[in-house]
Amino acid sequence: MDIPVADTLEDCVKTPLYDVHVTKAGRMVPFGGYALPVHYAEGIMAEHVWTRQHAGLFDVSHMGQVTLSGAGADVALEALLPGEIIGLTENRIRYSLFLDKHGGILDDLMVTRRADDLFLVVNGAVKHADIAHMRAHLEPKNIIVTYMDNHALMALQGPEAAVALTRLAPLCASLKFMQAGAMTVAGVECWVSRSGYTGEDGFEISVPAEQAATLAEKLLAEPEVKCIGLGARDSLRLEAGLPLYGHDITTQYNPVEADLSFAISKRRKTGKGFPGADKIMDQLLNGAPSKRIGLKLDGRQPVREGAIVYKGDEPVGVVTSGGFSPTLQQPVAMAYVTADCSADGTQLDIEVRGRKLQATVSPMPFVPHKYFR
Amino acid sequence: MLKFTKDHEWIAVDGDIATIGITNFAQKALGDVVFIELPPIGKALAAHADAAVVESVKAASDVYAPVSGTVTETNEALVADSSLVNSAPHTTGWFFKLKLSDPKELNSLMDQAAYDSYLKTL
């Protein structure tokens, strides 16, 4: 049989938590140029379930942590994305999208206003492109873009994340979803955000690289916390209906097609001062030709990225993410389909190896979000 | 007689009927298996032909026929509970049975000692 074989790990960058992963028997794989664990000893399914019931610790140090400083950084950043940044108050987080001139999605990101700068977290695969994009296009040129590659990033996610973290960082209990603040975690100065990529309550912790491993060990010593790999990170975010950059969102799609219209802030809709605004506003009012939707499948056979979606004999779309939902115990997927096939309840077929599997357009998230608001 | 392929299938031969499954090494590499597609009974398979598909939480993987033959039986218990591949890959987690078309093909496969040595090289 063909076992998925990893490319060489030797050329990969080790994150500050590499030794922790190896100690915990992480199965290390190359991922976007980094050596990261796809799972640990118990496997993806057990890690997924643990995170939904308790708390999981994820190494997301491959993601790009970037600060923007200098007067007018908020005004400048707004020219590159459709979110309200000027009106973002201190220690609040906004989800947004870098757009190209056609409105295509260059990346999705989190923006936090801090006392002295804007703190951005962008996707690892495109972080250098994002940084180049900002350096080229942020006006005026006095804005300083700093790549914080001397920091690790970890996510603590799950219904017991707050219980565990509060023991090490009592201040974290004062944060609500999409709020952030500076605080010490087990004595280490960190930047803590109440956010994540699993649909659960939880935190993302930015920590100086040299203290990251010690902090991870302290978090893992809490009884609620286990380390969780990339495999469960993907199945958790899929259940939560959260798009994966490079797969579910790319420059091929704009925010309306990607069903991320919520990221177009109210004030920005009238100003139109963001890339691709004419096309995006037209689609917002009149509908987009295709749309990102959720699909639940009958049976147990998962579908994967690239599978063609049919309405009867007519191809109407393509799967961009798919897998087996451990929570629902059935296959789920995200796909782009033509607008006339995008209503919840629409019966579609997905072709896998010459056979067609029945699927139903279903609202996302597939598993309800449990954010702390 | 028990033989192994470099692709981590095992084949247990009894007369001219062989039972085929995947090894413990393979199931560990795949992770949690959620779906298995087995070949139809009566299908003639060439050696190395795609015979079955294993879908784990990670990915889809093909299982090849170690030797040529005709499918005589498939493991319905495995279709009903695909986690048998993870819990018992060498026993109740077998995939399908073949009536061998050329038993001499077995000579090109590894025995247990050779497979164990091969695993150490991976």
Side-chain angles (χ1 to χ4, degrees), chain A residues 347-369:
Chain A
Q347 296 292 314
L348 300 173
D349 296 309
I350 304 175
E351 187 173 345
V352 181
R353 296 187 289 274
R355 280 219 317 264
K356 283 183 177 171
L357 306 178
Q358 291 189 329
T360 307
V361 178
S362 302
M364 292 191 285
F366 298 111
V367 173
H369 292 164

Side-chain angles (χ1 to χ4, degrees), chain A residues 22 73 112 139 170 200 235 252 255 299 301 315 327 345 350:
Chain A
V22 172
T112 309
E139 296 289 350
E200 297 294 327
S235 53
Q252 271 188 279
Q301 182 171 1
T327 305
I350 304 175

Side-chain angles (χ1 to χ4, degrees), chain A residues 217-236:
Chain A
E217 296 283 7
K218 284 182 176 160
L219 288 164
L220 289 168
E222 297 301 316
E224 298 88 354
V225 182
K226 285 188 180 180
C227 41
I228 308 296
L230 294 171
R233 180 172 158 82
D234 189 55
S235 53
L236 288 159

Side-chain angles (χ1 to χ4, degrees), chain B residues 3-23:
Chain B
K3 294 274 199 173
F4 299 86
T5 70
K6 285 192 169 177
D7 298 318
H8 309 284
E9 290 102 8
W10 56 261
I11 175 167
V13 184
D14 182 9
D16 63 350
I17 299 293
T19 305
I20 287 135
I22 67 170
T23 67

Side-chain angles (χ1 to χ4, degrees), chain B residues 5-92:
Chain B
T5 70
K6 285 192 169 177
D7 298 318
H8 309 284
E9 290 102 8
W10 56 261
I11 175 167
V13 184
D14 182 9
D16 63 350
I17 299 293
T19 305
I20 287 135
I22 67 170
T23 67
N24 189 51
F25 176 89
Q27 73 79 16
K28 277 170 77 175
L30 290 172
D32 305 291
V33 172
V34 295
F35 175 82
I36 288 171
E37 187 177 323
L38 295 172
I41 290 167
K43 184 170 185 176
L45 295 171
H48 314 299
D50 293 348
V53 179
V54 183
E55 294 267 7
S56 74
V57 286
K58 280 186 224 167
S61 296
D62 291 318
V63 175
Y64 309 120
V67 293
S68 59
T70 304
V71 178
T72 60
E73 194 179 342
T74 55
N75 187 357
E76 289 308 312
L78 184 65
V79 173
D81 179 8
S82 56
S83 72
L84 283 175
V85 178
N86 295 116
S87 58
H90 290 273
T91 54
T92 51

Side-chain angles (χ1 to χ4, degrees), chain A residues 48-237:
Chain A
H48 180 112
V49 172
W50 182 269
T51 306
R52 286 266 180 258
Q53 295 178 347
H54 305 285
L57 185 69
F58 304 75
D59 180 6
V60 288
S61 300
H62 61 294
M63 298 188 77
Q65 302 180 71
V66 181
T67 60
L68 304 185
S69 54
D74 51 359
V75 178
L77 184 59
E78 275 202 359
L80 306 186
L81 46 74
E84 168 74 79
I85 306 299
I86 295 169
L88 187 64
T89 53
E90 189 176 331
N91 293 346
R92 298 295 172 113
I93 309 167
R94 177 140 291 141
Y95 173 80
S96 198
L97 303 161
F98 282 132
L99 302 177
D100 68 18
K101 62 184 176 185
H102 307 294
I105 301 170
L106 292 166
D107 197 6
D108 62 346
L109 72 156
M110 293 288 208
V111 183
T112 309
R113 181 187 291 280
R114 306 199 292 194
D116 300 319
D117 59 18
L118 295 173
F119 173 60
L120 277 54
V121 177
V122 302
N123 279 294
V126 286
K127 62 185 173 186
H128 297 295
D130 288 345
I131 289 166
H133 178 65
M134 286 189 280
R135 287 186 174 142
H137 297 293
L138 287 177
E139 296 289 350
K141 293 293 176 196
N142 65 310
I143 292 154
I144 300 162
V145 181
T146 307
Y147 174 36
M148 297 169 60
D149 56 352
N150 56 348
H151 278 65
L153 189 67
M154 33 190 147
L156 184 68
Q157 300 280 300
E160 295 176 353
V163 173
L165 189 61
T166 300
R167 283 188 215 112
L168 304 178
L171 275 178
C172 80
S174 66
L175 300 177
K176 291 183 175 171
F177 180 59
M178 296 299 262
Q179 296 180 356
M183 62 190 72
T184 59
V185 183
V188 180
E189 286 294 336
C190 295
W191 181 260
V192 177
S193 307
R194 199 153 196 170
S195 55
Y197 193 47
T198 60
E200 297 294 327
D201 182 25
F203 302 86
E204 289 170 299
I205 304 167
S206 174
V207 52
E210 63 276 12
Q211 288 159 301
T214 310
L215 181 56
E217 296 283 7
K218 284 182 176 160
L219 288 164
L220 289 168
E222 297 301 316
E224 298 88 354
V225 182
K226 285 188 180 180
C227 41
I228 308 296
L230 294 171
R233 180 172 158 82
D234 189 55
S235 53
L236 288 159
R237 71 90 197 166

